Amino acid sequence: MTTSGAGTAHRTGTTAARTGVWFVGARGSVATTAVAGCAAVAAGLHPPTGMVTESPPFAESGLPALSSLVFGGHDTTSCPLPKRAEALTAAGVLPHGLPSAIHTELDAAEREIRAGGPQPGDARSDEELIESFAADLVDFTRRTGAVRTVVVNVSSTEPDPGPNAPHMRASSLYAAAAVRARCPYVDFTPSTGLRTASLMAAAEAAGLSHAGRDGKTGQTLLRSVLAPMFVQRTLAVRAWSGTNLLGGGDGAALADPAAAAAKNAGKERVLTDILGTAPEGEVHIDDVPALGDWKTAWDHIAFDGFLGSRMILQTIWQGCDSALAAPLVLDLARLTARAHETGLSGALPQLGFYFKDPDGGPAALAEQYAALLAFAGRLAESG
C-alpha cells in the first residue's frame, strides 16, 4: 500500500457528502440485504449488529456515514430490488415489514442498477464491455453527486480462468471498468477480479485503493480462530476436514466443481498459513436448494495431545449467509472509501480481517483484528 495524494440521504436529511457504493451483482441476496440493512440502520429501525465499523474504535476514523451512502450496480437478472427484498422477507432473511418501511430507499437503488454482462449471445468485445461498464460508473457518480464510488463485487463465484482463455472473466471486466472509472475496488468473492498482473498495475498507476478477496463469514472465520489455539497449545493437528451445505444462488454456483475449487482454495490456505503445513482432509460443498439462504458448515479436526493421545474436535456453524455478509460489505465499502479519501493507494492488507484470501498480513483473526484497529487509528489521524 502506498500514499498517492488524494447515497441518497435518509429521510431525516443530511448535509454529508455522498459516497457511492456500486455492487456487481446488485440484485443478489447479499447486495439486497446490504442496501436494506443500511437504510434500516440509518433510519434507526434496527441496531447495527455485525457492523464492526459502528463500534467505538471507529468513531473517530472519518468513515462516511451510513446515511450518506447511495447505491447502484450491475446485474444480469431483471427482478426489481423491492421484489427481491420481499422474497428475502418471505424466506426469513429480512425482518417482516422492512421492505415496505424502506421502499423509497430500495426503489432509489433499483433505479441505479444497469444491465451487466456478458449475456448469452453478447457479441461485444472485452474492450467494449469494459468501456460500457465504466461509463455507467462515471454517469452514476456524476448524477448522484458522490465524491467517490467504491465498486464491490458480490456476484456469484467464477471458476478460475484457464491459461489460454480467449476472453477476460466477467469479474475482471468489472474490475477493469472500476479502474478505468477511477473507483476503489473490493472483491468479496474468490473470483479473479482485479487479481491479474495488468489490472493490479493499472490500479496502482491510477492511485486506487483496493481490498480482497472472498469474504470470511462462517467456516473460515471459525478456522482462523481455532487454528491459532492448536499452535499456541502445541497440539499437533493431523487432519482437518469440512463439509458445507448451502442453497440459494451460492449453492447453485458452487455446484460447479471448478467454482467450488476456487472457493475452497481460500478455506484451505488459512489452515496452511496458520499451522505451517497443510493438514490432511478436504472441504466439500454440497448444493441443497431447500436450505435457501442458510448454510451449515461442519468441521472434523483430528489432533494429537500429550504422549500421542488422539483427540477429536467437531464444530457446526449454521447461519444466514446474506445476514453474515451484508454488514461486512458495508464495513468494507466505508473503510475503502475512507482509505481512498486519505490518499492511500494499492492493496489494503489491514482489511484482511474480512477475507479468506487477503492481500498479505497475518492469517489469525486476533492478529487481523489488531491490524484493523491500528488502521482505524491511522484513518483517524489523517483528519
Side-chain angles (χ1 to χ4, degrees), residues 28-39:
S29 296
V30 173
T32 305
T33 305
V35 173
C38 182

Side-chain angles (χ1 to χ4, degrees), residues 112-358:
E112 299 297 345
I113 297 176
R114 301 293 179 264
Q119 297 275 23
D122 195 332
R124 288 177 293 176
S125 67
D126 287 355
E127 172 59 28
E128 289 171 325
L129 287 164
I130 293 168
E131 186 59 31
S132 175
F133 297 157
D136 290 337
L137 279 164
V138 171
D139 183 58
F140 168 78
T141 304
R142 176 187 57 78
R143 286 185 302 95
T144 59
V147 291
R148 64 186 48 80
T149 294
V150 179
V151 176
V152 184
N153 182 18
V154 290
S155 60
S156 297
T157 299
E158 296 172 337
D160 284 335
N164 300 311
H167 297 287
M168 296 172 68
R169 289 292 188 187
S171 63
S172 292
L173 296 174
Y174 291 118
V179 173
R180 185 167 299 184
R182 296 190 173 273
C183 296
Y185 178 82
V186 175
D187 198 346
F188 204 72
T189 83
S191 301
T192 304
L194 194 68
R195 286 197 180 188
T196 71
S198 60
L199 287 178
M200 294 286 277
E204 185 74 23
L208 297 175
S209 48
H210 56 87
R213 66 181 173 165
D214 199 5
K216 184 165 58 185
T217 61
Q219 184 179 44
T220 309
L221 176 68
L222 193 56
R223 287 179 167 208
S224 68
V225 173
L226 289 176
M229 176 191 72
F230 290 102
V231 174
Q232 292 157 6
R233 284 295 182 94
T234 66
L235 298 171
V237 175
R238 292 185 294 108
W240 199 315
S241 302
T243 295
N244 278 259
L245 309 177
L246 67 163
D250 214 18
L254 295 174
D256 178 349
K263 186 78 170 178
N264 285 338
K267 292 177 178 287
E268 294 166 356
R269 188 177 297 110
V270 168
L271 296 180
T272 302
D273 289 347
I274 296 174
L275 299 175
T277 185
E280 293 181 7
E282 299 178 341
V283 177
H284 298 276
I285 298 177
D286 293 333
D287 178 24
V288 185
L291 292 180
D293 208 54
W294 268 257
K295 64 181 179 182
T296 296
W298 171 71
D299 270 10
H300 183 279
I301 308 160
F303 64 98
D304 289 344
F306 192 51
L307 305 180
S309 58
R310 294 200 163 189
M311 292 175 268
I312 297 293
L313 172 64
Q314 294 184 1
T315 66
I316 297 176
W317 176 287
Q318 294 179 307
C320 176
D321 203 36
S322 298
L324 289 166
L328 309 186
V329 166
L330 293 172
D331 279 353
L332 285 164
R334 299 171 81 196
L335 288 162
T336 307
R338 175 61 174 152
H340 184 256
E341 179 186 13
T342 62
L344 297 177
S345 68
L348 298 173
Q350 301 92 333
L351 303 187
F353 176 76
Y354 294 98
F355 297 107
K356 294 184 183 73
D357 187 16

